[in-house]
Amino acid sequence: MSSDAWVSGVIRSAEDEKYLENGRDFVDEALIGSELERNSNPDPARICDIIDKSLALTRLDPSETAALLNCRDEGLWQRMYEAGLKVKQSVYGRRIVFFAPLYVSNYCVNNCEYCGFRSSNRETQRSSLTDEQLREEILALIRKGHKRLVMVYGEHPRSGADFIAHTIRLAYSVKEGGGEIRRVNVNAAPLCVDDYRKLKEVGIGTYQVFQETYHPATYRKLHPADTVKGDMRWRLYALHRAQEAGIDDVAIGALFGLYDYRFEVMALLLHTMSLEKYFGGVGPHTISFPRLEPALNTPYTENPAHRVSDEQFRKLVTVLRLSVPYTGLILTARESAEIRREVIPVGVTQIDAGSNIGIGGYSSGTIKGEKQQFMLSDPRSLDEVVGELVDMGMITSFCTADYRCGRTGGCFMGFSKSGKIQGFCMPNAVLTFAEYLLDYASPATREKGWVLLEKELESLPVDGPREIVAGYLERIKAGERDLYL
Ligand code: SAM
Ligand code: SF4
């Protein structure tokens, strides 16, 4: 089939109609504008009430999120930063989940103005991993200690649902010693319901689609109308369709720098509410908030219209944390080490480290600028970042037990909303951290990591997980792997 014929068959608008409200999308530009306007000068007492609501682990309403975004009192922001950490700790504990991005194919039929992979960028070298190359990449990641991947693909006939399903299956099949990938998440273009079912069948973890911008006029400007991605509605309901197909962990995101950050945060909340409405109260599993990075031969990234400052960035992550207390927040190595140090404590739950976003970059050991989508700002190794988190009092988790025990989607939300996830997640974080320390860590990280691990063990409830985890730790020291609650 020619590329043009393939492109014209991708979008099935009828699949989205049932999710419209009187023919309208969930991103209501007028509502966002009026909430930001009505709450432009919030009363300090109201901000305190909203913080309390969030500390009670209740999702905020749009008018409350708008009030937080408009707060100008630095003393109250300080309270919000502290509340963000408390909310995160009561839902997720003192742990950070690690993943590795793995770029599989950079062929793309779209022409997003900000992306190095856009079809009109002749300086990008196109490639797609062969099975053998993919195996090599996975082995390289396993040897560093990774257990969770986000596999990334451009939108192209070469990387349709069958190819994605094939690569997921292959990723799960690669094993070496005690090392293996236990969860494969995907970041790829929106699919139709039948195609999502193919990915469900091969055991996909989370499906991520970032809306880039929720602002219709900006979306139209950056995504040419004659491309698949030019159809904003097909992307808006990508994750409704994924849920409909049975993929119950879905992830949303916005690319910050394309439009006003307050608008995007409000829209992420509306997206969350729409997913909750149609899927039994289950919102997104995670939210991502990448900031625009420079990309090869991509002038748009040099001077974006709505660049988000570091201070605004920390604030927007805090507001997201407080607005959706039970949703994971992902901070990537696009951000510098310094920014990550500042932003992780306001409520981030997942990060990557030692990442290489060039096609074939992990096994070759070099970053290939001409094959890379954009530039990363935190080049530190996995071991360095794990070590720094130990210094910050945080356990690194490679846990994938929830997903493999079926604690996903609504079930996961049920657990996390009531704070019970700690009964599973902290113990499993400790167990996967022990595996990492024993098998992959440098001597310095192993030594200080084990001290923290034992402290964490002491804080587990005496009559329950503590005894079981202590027993499992002995078995892990004796060579067993993949033990979880
Ligand atoms: N091609 C698929 C799509 O666009 O949905 C998925 C993969 S795309 C490679 C992953 C994400 O990278 C995009 O959704 C976008 O948010 C982000 N991205 C694109 N260009 C970027 C840039 N210059 N800086 C930072 N992130 C960027
Ligand atoms: Fe292609 Fe995704 Fe890049 Fe757009 S953001 S050009 S769809 S890879």
Side-chain angles (χ1 to χ4, degrees):
M1 195 194 291
S2 75
S3 194
D4 286 351
W6 181 86
V7 164
S8 64
V10 171
I11 294 172
R12 301 188 189 173
S13 307
E15 290 191 358
D16 297 332
E17 274 158 24
K18 63 172 100 98
Y19 301 118
L20 304 182
E21 315 281 340
N22 300 320
R24 295 167 67 97
D25 295 320
F26 63 80
V27 209
D28 185 337
E29 206 181 329
L31 174 102
I32 295 179
S34 72
E35 288 296 359
L36 285 170
E37 181 61 36
R38 274 194 320 121
N39 294 284
S40 59
N41 191 15
D43 179 37
R46 178 151 178 258
I47 296 285
C48 293
D49 289 346
I50 298 171
I51 294 175
D52 286 344
K53 180 174 174 185
S54 179
L55 285 167
L57 307 184
T58 308
R59 181 189 39 74
L60 301 183
D61 296 328
S63 93
E64 293 161 335
T65 295
L68 296 187
L69 285 166
N70 283 322
C71 176
R72 279 184 287 273
D73 178 327
E74 279 312 310
L76 285 172
W77 273 109
Q78 206 48 49
R79 286 194 59 181
M80 284 193 247
Y81 299 142
E82 287 159 17
L85 178 62
K86 276 194 197 145
V87 165
K88 189 238 153 176
Q89 291 198 335
S90 58
V91 178
Y92 288 88
R94 286 174 298 279
R95 75 192 161 100
I96 296 278
V97 172
F98 271 62
F99 67 93
L102 172 53
Y103 277 64
V104 182
S105 175
N106 67 2
Y107 287 94
C108 194
V109 294
N110 294 315
N111 209 7
C112 314
E113 205 171 325
Y114 45 82
C115 178
F117 291 170
R118 71 193 182 285
S119 57
S120 63
N121 191 356
R122 302 282 169 235
E123 290 187 26
T124 292
Q125 277 182 25
R126 307 285 162 175
S127 58
S128 185
L129 294 176
T130 62
D131 286 1
E132 201 36 52
Q133 289 166 335
L134 181 55
R135 222 173 262 120
E136 287 303 316
E137 287 290 278
I138 299 209
L139 277 173
L141 286 165
I142 285 175
R143 286 173 190 153
K144 289 193 171 88
H146 283 291
K147 302 281 186 275
R148 306 167 64 107
L149 297 183
V150 177
M151 304 227 287
V152 185
Y153 312 76
E155 180 161 27
H156 196 271
R158 284 167 175 268
S159 47
D162 292 319
F163 177 76
I164 296 176
H166 170 74
T167 52
I168 294 174
R169 228 186 274 114
L170 203 148
Y172 282 129
S173 73
V174 179
K175 317 231 178 235
E176 187 182 70
E180 62 185 345
I181 295 302
R182 298 178 187 156
R183 179 172 173 125
V184 179
N185 300 337
V186 164
N187 185 318
L191 301 175
C192 64
V193 175
D194 282 345
D195 280 348
Y196 282 125
R197 287 203 181 99
K198 295 179 184 171
L199 306 189
K200 170 79 183 161
E201 265 169 37
V202 294
I204 186 179
T206 307
Y207 201 89
Q208 300 184 328
V209 175
F210 304 158
Q211 188 58 34
E212 321 300 12
T213 174
Y214 288 89
H215 185 249
T218 307
Y219 190 94
R220 281 194 297 274
K221 214 169 82 200
L222 298 173
H223 306 99
D226 60 352
T227 60
V228 184
K229 198 154 165 180
D231 189 319
M232 182 169 176
R233 182 169 285 171
W234 181 242
R235 198 164 182 90
L236 275 179
Y237 295 96
L239 299 168
H240 292 65
R241 298 192 300 277
Q243 289 255 24
E244 190 180 321
I247 298 179
D248 52 8
D249 277 351
V250 297
I252 63 175
L255 182 54
F256 282 87
L258 305 182
Y259 190 61
D260 177 64
Y261 76 90
R262 293 182 181 88
F263 184 95
E264 306 292 12
V265 170
M266 294 291 287
L268 285 164
L269 179 64
L270 295 181
H271 197 165
T272 300
M273 290 165 63
S274 179
L275 287 166
E276 284 177 353
K277 175 175 169 187
Y278 288 102
F279 301 99
V282 183
H285 185 60
T286 55
I287 296 182
S288 295
F289 30 84
R291 277 194 291 185
L292 202 59
E293 293 294 325
L296 179 78
N297 187 33
T298 306
Y300 183 87
T301 59
E302 284 158 25
N303 201 11
H306 295 271
R307 189 187 293 283
V308 173
S309 71
D310 294 348
E311 191 192 337
Q312 289 168 335
F313 187 61
R314 185 164 174 229
K315 287 182 169 165
L316 80 85
V317 178
T318 305
V319 174
L320 281 172
R321 173 69 299 145
L322 296 176
S323 299
V324 287
Y326 43 83
T327 303
L329 295 185
I330 300 183
L331 179 69
T332 69
R334 286 177 179 89
E335 300 295 339
S336 68
E338 199 184 0
I339 296 293
R340 299 223 291 174
R341 242 169 251 136
E342 273 177 27
V343 172
I344 286 172
V346 298
V348 167
T349 61
Q350 288 195 30
I351 63 171
D352 59 333
S355 298
N356 190 311
I357 58 169
I359 307 276
Y362 290 110
S363 46
S364 72
T366 54
I367 295 187
K368 299 178 177 172
E370 66 288 359
K371 286 188 180 175
Q372 204 175 280
Q373 188 192 13
F374 50 83
M375 311 301 167
L376 294 178
S377 299
D378 185 352
R380 292 174 301 163
S381 70
L382 177 60
D383 187 73
E384 274 174 275
V385 179
V386 171
E388 179 172 286
L389 285 177
V390 170
D391 297 335
M392 292 162 79
M394 278 180 259
I395 293 259
T396 291
S397 175
F398 294 94
C399 172
T400 54
D402 286 333
Y403 154 72
R404 289 186 294 157
C405 295
R407 290 192 293 264
T408 57
C411 178
F412 173 85
M413 286 294 168
F415 275 115
S416 57
K417 271 182 178 163
S418 63
K420 284 191 200 136
I421 200 80
Q422 282 192 65
F424 294 98
C425 290
M426 278 320 286
N428 289 330
V430 166
L431 295 170
T432 56
F433 190 42
E435 281 190 15
Y436 176 80
L437 293 176
L438 292 171
D439 295 343
Y440 307 101
S442 64
T445 301
R446 184 176 306 143
E447 194 181 329
K448 62 185 176 182
W450 206 269
V451 173
L452 182 66
L453 183 151
E454 288 187 338
K455 210 166 116 197
E456 198 56 54
L457 182 64
E458 287 304 305
S459 69
L460 292 176
V462 153
D463 296 328
R466 194 194 301 177
E467 214 173 303
I468 304 172
V469 173
Y472 280 11
L473 281 175
E474 288 310 312
R475 286 167 59 187
I476 289 173
K477 281 192 214 157
E480 266 189 79
R481 292 291 172 266
D482 202 16
L483 299 173
Y484 54 86
L485 270 61

